[in-house]
Structure formats: structure tokens, C-alpha cells
């Protein structure tokens, strides 16, 4: 469900979905998108009344995220362009060769393309490399964090890694943690923050006081890591 409200002369567009949760939650994402998750059966009027009461906070959050603009420019996948991996910038170095592949060496992504290189082929090869590295590195960090905080969840959560447009991670009521594959571009401390954040949801599904108290116990410097993540991958 999609809709909009007017507040202080501004229009706030939102998307809403229903879930098995007992309370209504409003989130503002780094791109400014507003998402509402409401208990099953909640009608549009109730959702928009709650949004109106929280509209001042929504606009404040949007202004906060705006300080990190401009966002990462559209990628062209040509030689000399920089791409992130684990928080470090690497330049593309594109070459022709018999065996296609991607190597990380000497501060460069060295990408070998069969025949005449094209930006589209470079993109395909690089994205395949990121997928492979994300599946490995995020799984590795997930297992380390879950082992460290095994007492938090009643049962060991499962892990899914996939592209996510507006979230770095999520935790389902069935005990599954999903991580955004793009996290592999961020520094390890930021990756660990997202995993810890989602693991804390195993005990406290909502962003209430108890949730943030637990998060601070698990990772006292979580706010610094969150800010670093938003600044780097905005």
C-alpha cells in the first residue's frame, strides 16, 4: 500500500505493509523513503493519523540523511573508476585476455575480459565477484558474531544474503537474519554492527528502549559504526 500525507507545507510519501507484529513502526531510510509496518488489519486512516503525529520526526530524519548527499554516482565500469571492498577504494584496471576473471591486487580490481572490453561485461564480471565475496565474508562475520552472542537468541538464527534496496539487514519472526549483499563494500566493523543490530531483534523485535539498551551492551560504540556505514555507502 502506498500513500501520502501533508505536513507543514510538505508532502510525505510512504509505503505500508501489514505483518504479524503487535505495534505500528515507522522507518525513514537513507534514501528518504518512509516505510510503515503495521499490525494485520490496520486501515489506512489509522496509519496516516500515526504518520501525522510523527511527521516532525520523519522530516527531521530526512534532513539528517541529506547531509550525506550527493550519493554515490552512477557507475560506468570503465578503467580508473573506484569501487569499494571492505571499506577500501580500489581502481578498475581493465585488460583483454583469454581467461576472464577479477583479481584484487596492488590497490586495483584487475579485470580481464575476453575480446574487446565493454562496460557491460566489466559490470557482469565485477558483480559476480562481489556476490562470491559477499557470500563468503558475510557468512564468516555472521558465524563469528552469533557465536560471540549465543545467549541472545533462543535458537541459532539462519542467514540469507541478497540485494536489498532500502535496508542493510532484517530479522524475521521465524529467526532468519537477512543481510544486504552490498555490505561487503563496507568496513568489517560496520558489517559487524549490522549483524549485531539484527541479532538484538531476536530478543526485542521493536526499536524500543529495551532494544537500544541491549544493543549498547552488545556493542557500546554502535552509533559510531552506524554513522560510518551511512557516510560510506550513502
Amino acid at each position: 500500500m502506498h500513500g501520502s500525507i501533508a505536513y507543514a507545507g510538505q508532502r510525505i510519501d510512504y509505503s505500508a505493509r501489514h505483518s504479524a507484529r503487535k505495534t505500528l513502526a515507522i522507518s525513514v531510510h537513507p534514501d528518504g523513503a518512509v516505510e510503515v509496518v503495521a499490525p494485520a488489519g490496520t486501515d489506512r486512516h489509522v496509519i496516516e493519523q500515526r504518520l501525522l503525529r510523527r511527521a516532525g520526526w520523519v522530516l527531521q530524519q530526512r534532513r539528517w540523511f541529506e547531509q550525506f548527499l550527493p550519493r554515490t554516482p552512477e557507475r560506468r565500469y570503465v578503467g580508473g573508476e573506484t569501487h569499494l571492498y571492505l571499506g577500501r577504494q580500489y581502481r578498475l584496471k581493465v585488460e583483454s585476455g583469454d581467461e576472464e576473471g577479477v583479481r584484487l591486487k596492488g590497490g586495483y580490481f584487475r579485470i580481464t575480459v575476453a575480446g574487446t572490453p565493454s562496460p557491460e561485461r566489466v559490470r557482469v564480471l565485477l558483480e559476480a565477484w562481489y556476490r562470491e565475496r559477499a557470500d563468503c565474508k558475510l557468512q564468516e562475520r555472521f558465524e563469528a558474531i552469533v557465536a560471540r552472542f549465543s545467549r541472545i537468541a533462543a535458537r541459532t538464527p539462519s542467514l540469507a544474503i541478497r540485494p536489498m534496496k532500502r535496508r542493510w539487514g532484517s530479522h524475521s519472526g521465524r529467526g532468519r537474519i537477512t543481510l544486504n549483499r552490498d555490505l561487503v563494500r563496507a568496513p568489517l566493523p560496520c558489517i559487524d554492527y549490522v549483524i549485531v543490530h539484527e541479532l538484538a531483534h531476536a530478543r526485542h523485535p521493536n526499536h524500543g528502549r529495551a532494544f537500544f539498551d541491549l544493543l549498547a551492551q552488545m556493542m557500546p560504540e554502535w552509533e559510531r559504526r552506524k554513522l560510518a556505514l551511512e557516510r560510506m555507502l550513502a
Side-chain angles (χ1 to χ4, degrees), residues 1-225:
M1 175 171 59
H2 297 269
S4 65
I5 62 170
Y7 177 82
Q10 298 190 52
R11 171 173 161 168
I12 299 176
D13 296 318
Y14 70 88
S15 64
R17 60 185 175 87
H18 294 98
S19 77
R21 64 180 296 134
K22 296 180 180 179
T23 58
L24 186 148
I26 299 171
S27 300
V28 180
H29 299 289
D31 63 358
V34 178
E35 180 184 36
V36 180
V37 182
T42 305
D43 63 31
R44 184 186 294 271
H45 175 74
V46 172
I47 289 173
E48 294 191 347
Q49 286 300 306
R50 179 66 65 84
L51 266 173
L52 279 170
R53 291 201 295 271
R54 298 282 286 161
W57 173 83
V58 168
L59 294 178
Q60 182 182 39
Q61 289 295 103
R62 280 183 164 178
R63 286 193 296 271
W64 190 82
F65 282 124
E66 283 172 359
Q67 69 183 300
F68 305 121
L69 299 175
R71 303 177 70 82
T72 302
E74 183 176 355
R75 294 305 186 183
R76 297 169 55 227
Y77 298 96
V78 295
E81 186 175 66
T82 60
H83 290 254
L84 284 165
Y85 175 62
L86 296 182
R88 181 179 172 185
Q89 294 275 9
Y90 294 88
R91 291 189 179 278
L92 298 188
K93 192 166 187 177
V94 183
E95 305 166 325
S96 296
D98 296 330
E99 187 174 344
E100 291 191 325
V102 178
R103 292 179 299 140
L104 201 59
K105 185 177 179 180
Y108 287 90
F109 276 115
R110 296 178 178 269
I111 302 178
T112 304
V113 180
T116 303
S118 70
E120 176 60 20
R121 188 58 190 160
V122 172
R123 181 190 66 80
V124 169
L125 291 170
L126 188 58
E127 288 187 355
W129 185 91
Y130 270 123
R131 281 196 302 273
E132 181 180 346
R133 289 302 180 96
D135 290 347
C136 177
K137 185 59 68 174
L138 297 185
Q139 179 73 43
E140 175 186 299
R141 297 312 307 153
F142 174 79
E143 291 176 358
I145 295 296
V146 168
R148 180 180 174 189
F149 296 106
S150 58
R151 61 182 175 80
I152 297 301
R155 64 179 186 273
T156 302
S158 59
L159 175 66
I161 300 169
R162 63 178 178 81
M164 302 175 77
K165 289 184 178 180
R166 293 176 176 169
R167 294 174 178 266
W168 296 120
S170 66
H171 182 277
S172 75
R174 292 175 293 179
R176 167 172 288 187
I177 288 177
T178 301
L179 297 178
N180 189 327
R181 186 172 283 135
D182 272 348
L183 275 174
V184 78
R185 303 174 191 268
L188 288 177
C190 296
I191 294 173
D192 289 354
Y193 154 70
V194 175
I195 298 171
V196 168
H197 180 110
E198 300 308 333
L199 188 59
H201 278 308
R203 183 171 293 182
H204 300 294
N206 304 320
H207 287 135
R209 177 64 180 273
F211 169 84
F212 287 108
D213 286 347
L214 176 61
L215 184 58
Q217 291 174 20
M218 297 170 72
M219 183 175 282
E221 72 285 7
W222 71 268
E223 290 179 288
R224 179 172 58 80
R225 297 191 189 202

